[in-house]
């Protein structure tokens, strides 16, 4: 009986040893997984953990096998995060359970326009956690009488010249400038995000996409002091769905025509969005000056407006500084824009405003089943240089 018990214990010990060895292999062998704490990262909110994050990234990027980077609970002070590729593998999973904290002096570190930036990567996923941009001090400066002396600030998170990127279940708080920028990328999915800043925080666009294709923004809540989502030149095949927007300036295509030579925007779908007390709802805006840019094949569908100041607007006479553009006509060509199943309330009497270029009128504009009211009465629509059709119930009555 003693021998039998000993053999059972011996067998159990062997199994345990094997399991531990396998776990260690997965965690450390072949560089499959890295914990930033193991490389000197401290979640106390004060200790500079920048080098720990850079070392972990270097190891993950050099691995030839799929790799996980883990950030445990805690607050990790990060001066800057510049994560360059290309890497030797195309499956790096960054799991964040804690919070990354930016410098509070709102200075850009190094030559990067962003606090955390990924360049030339393929197959990177960022999941969970919080990014605290510490932007309140910069906002106060910009909103003060000494605004001309304020630093520019930095975007919180940027992906540039990358592909096969996923950002999920991430919260971005109080960004100094834009929260998330996608620039020059292909095949990007952003889902389950929370992007939050004060309604009086300047230039804090929630998500900005430019020079990118096959991008999706899904199931997210965005409230900032600027556009919830802004869409820049060179964007194609963009899908936006199930978004709650507010506070903020709405979802905007543009500003376009900032440059004379400029790539256009095409194949954009915005659907199932709730705008709550925003400055704009769905907007296309272009500077009133020459350009070869365009915006075409745009669909705005299944949208609720809750006390929105400008629910539907095309503005081709955008000129906020009144310099370099007054008295000039926009060269941007806007065609084939559909507004379908849009209803709710406007905070102003004019709920639909199409102010297009006299030399490049908007064409192929379609309103279908649109019902917007102002103070429990039918709102109004205004049109300049626009052609299109109305179908179904359309209130305010089309001004085409």
């Amino acid at each position: 009986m003693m021998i039998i018990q000993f053999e059972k214990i011996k067998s159990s010990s062997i199994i345990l040893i094997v399991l531990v060895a396998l776990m260690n292999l997965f965690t450390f062998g072949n560089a499959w997984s890295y914990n930033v704490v193991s490389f000197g990262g401290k979640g106390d909110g004060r200790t500079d953990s920048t080098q720990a994050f850079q070392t972990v990234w270097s190891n993950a990027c050099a691995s030839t096998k799929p790799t996980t980077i883990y950030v445990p609970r805690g607050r990790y002070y990060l001066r800057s995060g510049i994560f360059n590729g290309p890497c030797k593998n195309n499956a790096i999973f960054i799991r964040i359970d804690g919070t990354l904290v930016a410098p509070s002096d709102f200075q850009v570190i190094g030559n990067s326009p962003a606090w955390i930036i990924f360049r030339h990567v393929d197959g990177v996923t960022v999941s969970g956690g919080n990014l605290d941009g510490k932007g309140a001090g910069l906002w106060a400066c910009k909103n003060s009488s000494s605004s001309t002396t304020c630093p520019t600030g930095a975007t919180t998170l940027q992906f540039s010249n990358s592909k096969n990127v996923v950002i999920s279940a991430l919260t971005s708080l109080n960004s100094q400038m834009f929260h998330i920028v996608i620039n020059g990328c292909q095949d990007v999915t952003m889902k389950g995000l929370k992007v939050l800043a004060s309604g009086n925080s300047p230039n804090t666009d929630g998500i900005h996409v430019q020079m990118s294709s096959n991008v999706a923004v899904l199931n997210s809540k965005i409230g900032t002091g600027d556009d919830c989502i802004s869409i820049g030149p060179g964007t194609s095949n963009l899908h936006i769905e199930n978004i709650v927007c507010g506070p903020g300036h709405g979802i905007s295509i543009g500003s376009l025509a900032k440059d004379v030579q400029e790539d256009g925007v095409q194949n954009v779908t915005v659907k199932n969005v709730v705008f709550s007390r925003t400055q704009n709802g769905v907007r296309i805006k272009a500077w009133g000056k020459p350009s070869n840019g365009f915006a075409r094949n745009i669909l705005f569908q299944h949208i609720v407006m809750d006390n929105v100041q400008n629910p539907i607007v095309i503005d081709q006479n955008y000129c906020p500084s009144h310099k370099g553009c007054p008295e000039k006509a926009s060269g941007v060509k806007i065609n084939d824009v559909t507004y379908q199943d849009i209803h709710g309330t406007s905070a102003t009497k004019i709920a639909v405003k199409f102010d297009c270029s006299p030399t490049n009128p908007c064409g192929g504009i379609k309103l279908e089943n649109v019902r917007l009211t102002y103070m429990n009465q039918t709102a109004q629509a205004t049109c300049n240089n626009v052609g299109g059709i109305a179908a179904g119930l359309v209130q305010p009555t089309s001004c085409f």
Side-chain angles (χ1 to χ4, degrees):
M1 181 66 68
M2 293 288 290
I3 295 175
I4 293 174
Q5 288 178 342
F6 176 77
E7 291 297 330
K8 286 182 178 179
I9 293 172
K10 185 178 179 181
S11 298
S12 299
S13 299
I14 292 172
I15 292 172
L16 180 60
I17 291 169
V18 170
L19 288 174
V20 170
L22 288 173
M23 290 176 65
N24 286 336
L25 176 64
F26 178 77
T27 306
F28 303 106
N30 294 325
W32 285 358
S33 181
Y34 295 98
N35 187 324
V36 295
V37 172
S38 301
F39 290 81
K42 295 187 182 299
D44 58 11
R46 300 183 305 274
T47 304
D48 187 351
S49 296
T50 304
Q51 188 57 54
F53 278 79
Q54 294 293 168
T55 301
V56 165
W57 173 259
S58 295
N59 288 326
C61 190
S63 172
T64 58
K65 295 182 179 295
T67 305
T68 296
I69 295 173
Y70 178 56
V71 183
R73 291 182 181 276
R75 293 176 62 81
Y76 298 83
Y77 172 68
L78 194 64
R79 284 185 294 106
S80 67
I82 302 174
F83 306 115
N84 290 322
C87 296
K88 292 185 178 180
N89 74 85
N90 59 359
I92 297 178
F93 182 84
I94 303 171
R95 177 187 162 194
I96 305 173
D97 283 344
T99 298
L100 307 189
V101 183
S104 59
D105 59 4
F106 46 79
Q107 297 286 352
V108 181
I109 306 299
N111 296 319
S112 171
W115 171 38
I116 300 171
I117 184 167
F118 292 84
R119 299 188 181 117
H120 304 286
V121 298
D122 180 1
V124 169
T125 296
V126 179
S127 179
N130 305 301
L131 305 179
D132 186 351
K134 290 286 186 178
L138 179 60
W139 310 337
C141 183
K142 288 185 174 181
N143 289 326
S144 70
S145 58
S146 59
S147 60
T148 55
T149 63
C150 299
T152 303
T155 290
T156 288
L157 173 65
Q158 179 170 326
F159 278 85
S160 291
N161 304 111
S162 299
K163 59 183 178 180
N164 300 315
V165 172
V166 176
I167 307 171
S168 69
L170 178 73
T171 298
S172 177
L173 301 168
N174 302 326
S175 183
Q176 298 167 12
M177 288 281 287
F178 291 13
H179 285 256
I180 299 173
V181 169
I182 305 299
N183 176 47
C185 297
Q186 291 79 44
D187 301 310
V188 178
T189 299
M190 293 170 276
K191 57 185 179 181
L193 307 184
K194 291 181 181 178
V195 180
L196 306 171
S198 168
N200 67 350
S201 57
N203 307 117
T204 54
D205 294 45
I207 297 172
H208 179 73
V209 181
Q210 65 181 25
M211 302 303 295
S212 299
S213 61
N214 300 325
V215 177
V217 185
L218 311 170
N219 309 323
S220 297
K221 176 176 175 53
I222 305 171
T224 73
D226 212 298
D227 293 332
C228 290
I229 301 174
S230 54
I231 303 159
T235 300
S236 63
N237 301 325
L238 171 64
H239 187 92
I240 298 168
E241 185 170 1
N242 292 333
I243 305 296
V244 175
C245 171
H249 294 179
I251 294 179
S252 297
I253 296 176
S255 306
L256 305 179
K258 186 176 181 180
D259 300 313
V260 174
Q261 298 296 322
E262 185 176 87
D263 291 324
V265 174
Q266 59 187 334
N267 304 332
V268 175
T269 297
V270 178
K271 63 187 295 186
N272 296 324
V273 177
V274 175
F275 294 94
S276 181
R277 301 179 181 275
T278 51
Q279 183 185 85
N280 306 291
V282 290
R283 174 172 61 165
I284 302 174
K285 61 176 180 175
W287 289 80
K289 58 185 183 179
S291 175
N292 67 338
F294 60 84
R296 62 192 180 211
N297 194 20
I298 315 295
L299 172 63
F300 300 111
Q301 183 183 57
H302 308 321
I303 291 171
V304 175
M305 305 288 182
D306 174 20
N307 204 31
V308 174
Q309 292 181 39
N310 306 290
I312 296 174
V313 57
I314 295 178
D315 179 8
Q316 281 197 270
N317 295 291
Y318 182 69
C319 188
S321 63
H322 301 289
K323 294 180 180 179
C325 45
E327 310 298 328
K328 294 183 179 180
S330 176
V332 173
K333 297 174 176 58
I334 299 176
N335 299 98
D336 300 323
V337 183
T338 298
Y339 302 88
Q340 186 179 72
D341 184 26
I342 298 177
H343 60 277
T345 56
S346 174
T348 59
K349 197 167 187 177
I350 298 176
V352 178
K353 182 179 180 180
F354 296 127
D355 188 13
C356 297
S357 170
T359 57
N360 290 286
C362 300
I365 309 300
K366 183 177 182 181
L367 295 168
E368 182 178 356
N369 296 326
V370 174
R371 186 173 185 271
L372 297 168
T373 61
Y374 167 67
M375 299 183 67
N376 295 320
Q377 298 178 354
T378 301
Q380 294 181 5
T382 64
C383 289
N384 288 312
N385 308 307
V386 59
I389 61 173
L393 175 66
V394 174
Q395 295 180 343
T397 303
S398 166
C399 56
F400 297 147

